[in-house]
Amino acid sequence: MEKVQAPSRLQLAREVLQIESEALTTLSRRLNGDFLAAVDLILASAGRLVITGMGKSGHVARKIAATLASTGTPAFFVHPGEAAHGDLGMITAQDIVLALSNSGESDEIIALLPALRRKGVRLICMTGREGSTMAQEADIHLDAHVEKEACPLGLAPTTSTTVQIALGDALAVTLMDARGFGQGDFALSHPGGSLGRKLLVHVSDIMHSGDELPRVAPGTPLKDALLELSRKRLGMLAICADDDTLLGVYTDGDLRRTLERSANLYDLSIDQVMSRSPRTIGPKKLATEAVFLMEQNKITSLLVVDEGDKLIGALHLHDLFKAGVI
């Protein structure tokens, strides 16, 4: 068989993307009241959204279920073959079933319809044929019709599965918006991994406090202050009044600048060399905001103060790395 040249391969790949892109544009224009009816039905439900499908549509159904569940709509996937052998018991009368099939004639799903009707379950079907059995039996039909598959043979599900995924995403995002699902809600659904850490970790969760704080009183000889700076190993030193009010900060960088200006550190007090306008952050701020402040100001540490400007903590860039925020 003659080997396909690289330019021809690229052309074929571009044609696939073009076909699927055009199908999505057509889908966007075709959305109508049926889509809104599906959204309203799901919002009004006291149960879960159960997604099912066979073959490639089954793989898409799993993805849609996962997206819905992570964006505020309780959802899970049920394999139609397993449903016919006991898993149908997972579906209650309060649930809604979203069934996917490009042909709309999936035997495994059609076989479940009588049992679902006896349970009183409402049915949304996403198919590529409005005249199909599943479309006719559905309470609401979502039209996922495509003119052609991107597969040159017209056999492998390509454009049709892309449209199914996109329609599922549109459903999930619309429901997410309707529920007022925000960043905090999203974080609760994603406590693991970097996403959860970025959205859930606050400064108070990872800051140093108590005896770990590098601090001295105003008037402290610089040589003594440097011992505290060295012991606490946070690269900075807070200068605080007796009532914990933050007066200033002294950093490793300040020490280098002091050495450049003065040959004798023993003649200096911390008041003479400290910065009186330290960068600070509140304990309730997200750790990601601390990262932004550090990057913006090109610093590696921050002091944490309460609303009265009293020192309560300290945060170093290494703490953010350790917490997995960056």
Side-chain angles (χ1 to χ4, degrees):
M1 186 173 68
E2 185 178 351
K3 187 176 180 181
V4 178
Q5 297 300 310
S8 299
R9 292 172 181 167
L10 282 175
Q11 182 58 33
L12 178 59
R14 291 188 180 110
E15 288 174 2
V16 169
L17 296 177
Q18 184 64 33
I19 290 169
E20 297 196 353
S21 174
E22 290 173 357
L24 292 178
T25 300
T26 301
L27 172 66
S28 164
R29 294 169 180 162
R30 195 169 62 227
L31 284 184
N32 55 24
D34 291 334
F35 178 84
L36 295 177
V39 170
D40 290 340
L41 180 64
I42 296 167
L43 286 173
S45 173
R48 293 85 40 90
L49 186 58
V50 183
I51 326 288
T52 191
M54 277 296 296
K56 300 299 186 293
S57 291
H59 294 305
V60 172
R62 287 181 186 273
K63 188 272 177 189
I64 293 175
T67 301
L68 285 160
S70 70
T71 53
T73 298
F76 63 93
F77 172 80
V78 170
H79 191 285
E82 297 297 335
H85 293 276
D87 281 3
L88 197 62
M90 299 167 66
I91 305 173
T92 71
Q94 288 74 41
D95 297 332
I96 297 170
V97 168
L98 170 60
L100 278 65
S101 170
N102 185 41
S103 68
E105 301 295 343
S106 174
D107 292 336
E108 294 84 353
I109 294 176
I110 292 173
L112 298 176
L113 298 184
L116 291 174
R117 289 308 187 196
R118 284 196 297 272
K119 282 175 171 279
V121 174
R122 303 295 297 276
L123 179 66
I124 302 170
C125 286
M126 184 189 297
T127 81
R129 291 179 54 227
E130 287 192 291
S132 65
T133 301
M134 286 175 57
Q136 295 301 310
E137 291 295 326
D139 294 298
I140 300 171
H141 177 241
L142 297 179
D143 185 4
H145 169 72
V146 298
E147 289 299 323
K148 62 178 179 179
E149 298 287 4
C151 167
L153 301 177
L155 299 174
T158 46
T159 312
S160 58
T161 50
T162 297
V163 164
Q164 286 177 336
I165 290 174
L167 193 50
D169 285 344
L171 191 62
V173 172
T174 304
L175 288 164
M176 177 182 176
D177 180 73
R179 296 183 192 279
F181 192 86
Q183 268 199 352
D185 302 303
F186 199 83
L188 291 174
S189 299
H190 300 76
S194 61
L195 179 61
R197 287 190 289 272
K198 289 180 179 179
L199 293 177
L200 285 176
V201 176
H202 292 79
V203 169
S204 58
D205 297 325
I206 57 176
M207 70 182 188
H208 298 268
S209 59
D211 292 338
E212 295 181 359
L213 284 178
R215 55 181 295 171
V216 295
T220 301
L222 181 57
K223 60 182 180 65
D224 296 332
L226 292 180
L227 291 175
E228 175 73 356
L229 179 67
S230 177
R231 279 196 297 264
K232 299 303 171 65
R233 297 183 178 181
L234 290 180
M236 64 176 172
L237 186 65
I239 296 86
C240 298
D242 291 340
D243 64 353
D244 295 329
T245 299
L246 181 63
L247 302 175
V249 66
Y250 191 73
T251 68
D252 287 342
D254 292 327
L255 174 58
R256 288 191 293 272
R257 286 184 284 275
T258 301
L259 289 170
E260 290 172 359
R261 294 193 304 265
S262 176
N264 191 353
L265 302 184
Y266 290 89
D267 294 335
L268 300 173
S269 70
I270 194 65
D271 308 61
Q272 295 173 274
V273 291
M274 72 181 185
S275 170
R276 298 181 184 274
S277 301
R279 301 290 179 183
T280 62
I281 193 168
K284 295 181 181 179
K285 295 291 187 180
L286 288 173
T288 49
E289 294 182 66
V291 175
F292 175 77
L293 275 175
M294 289 181 184
E295 290 176 344
Q296 188 180 47
N297 294 286
K298 295 180 173 58
I299 56 178
T300 58
S301 54
L302 282 171
L303 293 172
V304 185
V305 297
D306 62 16
E307 294 178 356
D309 208 29
K310 296 184 185 300
L311 181 70
I312 58 173
L315 190 64
H316 193 276
L317 189 64
H318 292 161
D319 302 317
L320 297 164
F321 276 113
K322 188 176 180 181
V325 176
I326 53 178

